[in-house]
Amino acid sequence: MFNGKSILLGVSGGIAAYKAAELARSFIREGAGVQVVMTAGAQRFITPLTLQVLSEQPVATDLFDPGLESQIGHIQMARAAHLVVVAPATANVLAKAAAGLADDYLTTVLLATTAPVLFCPAMNTRMLEHPATRRSLETLRQLGYSVLEPDAGQLACGEEGAGRLPDPPVILEAACRLLTPPSLQGRRFLVSAGPTWEPLDPVRFITNPSSGKMGFALARMAARRGAEVTLVSGPSSLASPTGISTVRVRTALDMEQAVLEHARNMDAIIMTAAVGDYRPAHAASQKIKKSSDTMTIPLIRNPDILASLGKSRPHGVRQVLVGFAAETEHLIENAREKLIQKNLDFIVANNLGESGSGFGVDTNRVKIIDPTGAIEELPMLTKDEVAARILDRVESILS
Ligand code: CTP
């Protein structure tokens, strides 16, 4: 996510400061170089040494440090950073930054940098809701800073409410969005993901091993590029991605309803969901008891959601329609037939038999086929990378 990027991590003095250690590690794991700056308050909660060891760089704490400042270190740091993340950001730091005060290392760097800045406020709910803090946040937004909404839950003070520092993956995603060119700004995307559950009785259902990873990756990557994304997901254990409107459904019929409801104003619709083609004709209202040695379950066809989108494509506006083809044999022929039958802009063909490809894994090797018959064969890539290639294509069709 952050290869070659320098992140300046500002840590201020709230109890969540201890989480800065994991956050610094997470950035480094994703390829970033991390320079930590701590306020005096932060050093009461976590030692600079901890963050120095994790970031493999001296931590800046003192604006008048003769070592760091012999080269005017705060200006150099402000210049070198591709992104500044203040996590946790206390009410005090927010107020100082909003007022333009620069009385310590962190607030001085904040004034000196031209890099994007992400504030991650974390504090007691009443402090967060105080009109003075609200005003600071409002001012910061007006000044062009980004603010990540705190999570709600149990706070360190024992109270319940908003004010928790979001977990590192949420902060990393918000940070990544600030560093990604907004090439899909103003575009609306609908992505379907995951399997469907077709119930036999209240405790059993027919499904498939789809994890939802490909669809969630597409939704996340489109949002990183600035798109407004709606994700319709069948049952998946993946957490709803931040900043993406996620509609959770169970059956193919539910998925059809949700997709058709949202489809109209979309610039692009990408169906990665492994939709059950059939459902039991009758779902028993109580648990089915075993009786005879064999059992036959009549199944009926589910609607083909993508085919119906392909049939009723809007006139006069460009709506890109993308399908996936999950195959175990005759990959190209089968995928090509689906591309034509479902009236798609292109189809992503997936060989389920290949290791490292298809359901549940983090990688995928796919072939992209367009209506001219051209085939683009992608190497084994992470699902995020596959998503990026698919979005590049959607972007070029849209433009
Ligand atoms: N799809 C859909 N509704 C269905 C079945 C599939 O919208 N009832 C979509 C999938 O999301 C995918 C594409 O159609 O984008 C192809 O799905 P796939 O399961 O590969 O093929 P099917 O069309 O179901 O055909 P078959 O199962 O016979 O291979």
Side-chain angles (χ1 to χ4, degrees):
M1 280 168 111
F2 299 100
N3 270 347
K5 298 290 181 199
S6 300
I7 310 279
L8 192 146
L9 176 60
V11 186
S12 59
I15 180 64
Y18 79 93
K19 295 183 180 175
E22 187 52 39
L23 187 59
R25 277 180 70 99
S26 304
F27 274 119
I28 288 165
R29 219 178 286 132
E30 291 293 336
V34 175
Q35 167 67 61
V36 179
V37 176
M38 296 177 82
T39 65
Q43 295 167 62
R44 306 296 290 265
F45 289 96
I46 178 168
T47 69
L49 185 61
T50 306
L51 291 169
Q52 179 167 314
V53 171
L54 293 175
S55 66
E56 296 170 18
Q57 300 212 55
V59 169
T61 53
D62 178 7
L63 199 48
F64 303 102
D65 180 310
L68 271 176
E69 288 306 306
S70 61
Q71 318 254 304
I72 321 188
H74 63 281
I75 300 294
Q76 285 189 359
M77 265 179 217
R79 251 191 234 137
H82 293 106
L83 175 73
V84 177
V85 177
V86 185
T90 58
N92 186 45
V93 157
L94 296 174
K96 286 203 283 186
L101 289 177
D103 65 350
D104 63 5
Y105 215 107
L106 178 57
T107 47
T108 307
V109 167
L110 285 171
L111 275 191
T113 192
T114 52
V117 176
L118 175 66
F119 284 100
C120 305
M123 66 197 76
N124 166 275
T125 307
R126 275 190 297 278
M127 291 174 74
L128 181 68
E129 282 167 2
H130 193 286
T133 309
R134 292 269 143 231
R135 187 183 54 201
S136 301
L137 290 170
E138 189 49 41
T139 305
L140 290 170
R141 287 195 179 99
Q142 280 168 6
L143 290 171
Y145 293 111
S146 297
V147 176
L148 184 64
E149 285 301 319
D151 280 350
Q154 177 137 43
L155 304 172
C157 55
E159 291 178 17
E160 288 271 332
R164 283 173 59 85
L165 185 69
D167 290 335
V170 177
I171 297 176
L172 262 66
E173 192 59 40
C176 192
R177 276 181 205 174
L178 287 176
L179 288 171
T180 309
S183 51
L184 289 173
Q185 194 79 48
R187 298 291 191 186
R188 292 191 184 156
F189 273 61
L190 177 62
V191 180
S192 75
T196 59
W197 283 2
E198 307 301 328
L200 283 159
D201 69 15
V203 293
R204 301 183 182 101
F205 48 83
I206 299 174
T207 188
N208 60 65
S210 167
S211 61
K213 283 180 178 172
M214 191 63 241
F216 278 60
L218 269 159
R220 221 176 28 244
M221 300 299 274
R224 272 185 203 169
R225 296 181 184 196
E228 190 185 315
V229 183
T230 302
L231 173 64
V232 175
S233 175
S236 162
S237 58
L238 301 175
S240 299
T242 30
I244 290 173
S245 145
T246 306
V247 184
R248 301 268 180 180
V249 296
R250 285 187 162 201
T251 65
L253 290 178
D254 295 343
M255 185 172 279
E256 180 194 34
Q257 195 187 352
V259 167
L260 298 186
E261 200 178 298
H262 289 92
R264 188 171 318 158
N265 297 318
M266 294 292 161
D267 295 295
I269 303 177
I270 308 177
M271 285 286 299
T272 75
V275 187
D277 287 328
Y278 292 88
R279 66 181 181 278
H282 302 287
S285 60
Q286 301 301 329
K287 187 182 172 210
I288 300 168
K289 292 289 174 191
K290 61 178 169 297
S291 48
S292 52
D293 285 348
T294 60
M295 186 179 180
T296 304
I297 302 162
L299 301 174
I300 52 174
R301 271 284 280 275
N302 272 328
D304 189 318
I305 307 167
L306 188 54
S308 73
L309 290 170
K311 246 183 233 133
S312 57
R313 295 183 71 153
H315 295 290
V317 283
R318 192 80 186 88
Q319 184 181 74
V320 181
L321 202 53
V322 180
F324 270 66
E327 308 294 344
T328 56
E329 58 177 355
H330 311 304
L331 182 66
I332 303 294
E333 296 83 335
N334 287 339
R336 211 173 251 153
E337 201 178 310
K338 287 174 192 174
L339 167 79
I340 292 158
Q341 261 180 12
K342 303 191 192 207
N343 191 20
L344 308 176
D345 288 282
F346 63 89
I347 194 158
V348 183
N350 218 182
N351 188 345
L352 295 181
E354 197 173 325
S355 74
S357 208
F359 290 144
V361 291
D362 290 319
T363 51
N364 224 354
R365 194 209 299 266
V366 300
K367 294 179 172 57
I368 300 181
I369 308 171
D370 72 19
T372 68
I375 301 172
E376 186 189 359
E377 208 164 314
L378 299 185
M380 184 73 77
L381 297 170
T382 65
K383 285 187 173 170
D384 278 2
E385 289 164 338
V386 173
R389 299 291 194 94
I390 292 170
L391 293 175
D392 288 346
R393 237 174 213 261
V394 173
E395 256 182 66
S396 81
I397 298 173
L398 282 173
S399 61

